[in-house]
Amino acid sequence: MFYYGNRANSKIDAETRGRLQSRHALFNLLLFFINPIVSFSNLSVQFTSVYTSPWTHFIVWHFFASHFILSQSIFYPLSEERNDIKNNRWCLTFVYHLLLFASIYYVSSEILPRVQKLWNIQLGFIGSLVSSWCLMFAYITVDLDGFYLVSLKLVLSCNHTIFQISRCVYHVSTFFLFQFFLLTTSYLGNVYIDIPSENRMKPAFLFGSLHVLFGCAVLVVYTKFMFNITICLFLVILSFMFSLNSYNYSTVNSYLLCEHRRWKWDFQESKGIICHVIRRRRHLSKILDSTIYLSSQKGYFQYDDDIQLDQKYYKKY
């Protein structure tokens, strides 16, 4: 059964709250020396922005860190000899990565809606899935000298190849993987979407089995052509997470709109549920009539094509 309203489970007094915050800060300070990515995430984003799919966020941001560190040396290795063209490409790629990082805050704060929308999440996970496959193609083909599946070369008088399809795919797929994943997040939003456990469809075994076969196929290709197998297996795991989330959010019949909670203890005190939203075009017969009746009587039930919330949720806090 759904939980409605913001009724607190237990009140936290100011002294307890201060003690929890101090303990949380100390824990993450120590954690920083072990895993700075997790530590930074715990301190910089709202608890509920990663609460719905913590493992997806954990794996994605660790992948991005590995990808940005390793990809430059793979796609644009620095030349030991004096080669200004190669070294300039490396520097330009470094600037490109910095601009991608700078776009995180801008997209999250200025472009993404304050109230998270289901179609944004669906589009984000599907786009991330396709982008991860394209990026894997780039990693597999980048070192196949003379064996590029597709290549386009523009040769100058100095006989330097300035364009290769694998590098192009690398830049494009990195950009879109990053931006599509941001569509699934609500880091700086006011309201997020949560799928109740009874409405989740989790064909994890099916998707897991398919991706085990996918991983085995990547290993077979690795025996034929040498490439960065670690990053590619990382992308197989990401593909599994994206496909599973895509299915869950595309097939769900109803979901909850919830107000963000900054800390875990705030979430435990009050879940911040605003209303229960039912997708009109989905199978309404699968939703319990008693749930709909109870929701409509209390004013918490809305259809997805006619959501009306307080205007405060649409403003920047």
Side-chain angles (χ1 to χ4, degrees), residues 63-64 67 124 127-129 131-132 135 172-182 235 238 242:
F63 166 76
F64 276 130
H67 172 62
S128 298
L129 178 63
S131 299
S132 66
L135 190 56
V172 174
S173 57
T174 296
F175 175 81
F176 279 107
L177 176 60
F178 188 77
Q179 301 301 332
F180 274 124
F181 179 71
L182 280 182
L235 284 166
L238 279 182
F242 292 149

Side-chain angles (χ1 to χ4, degrees), residues 7 36 65 80 181 246:
R7 179 172 54 84
E80 295 181 0
F181 179 71
S246 297

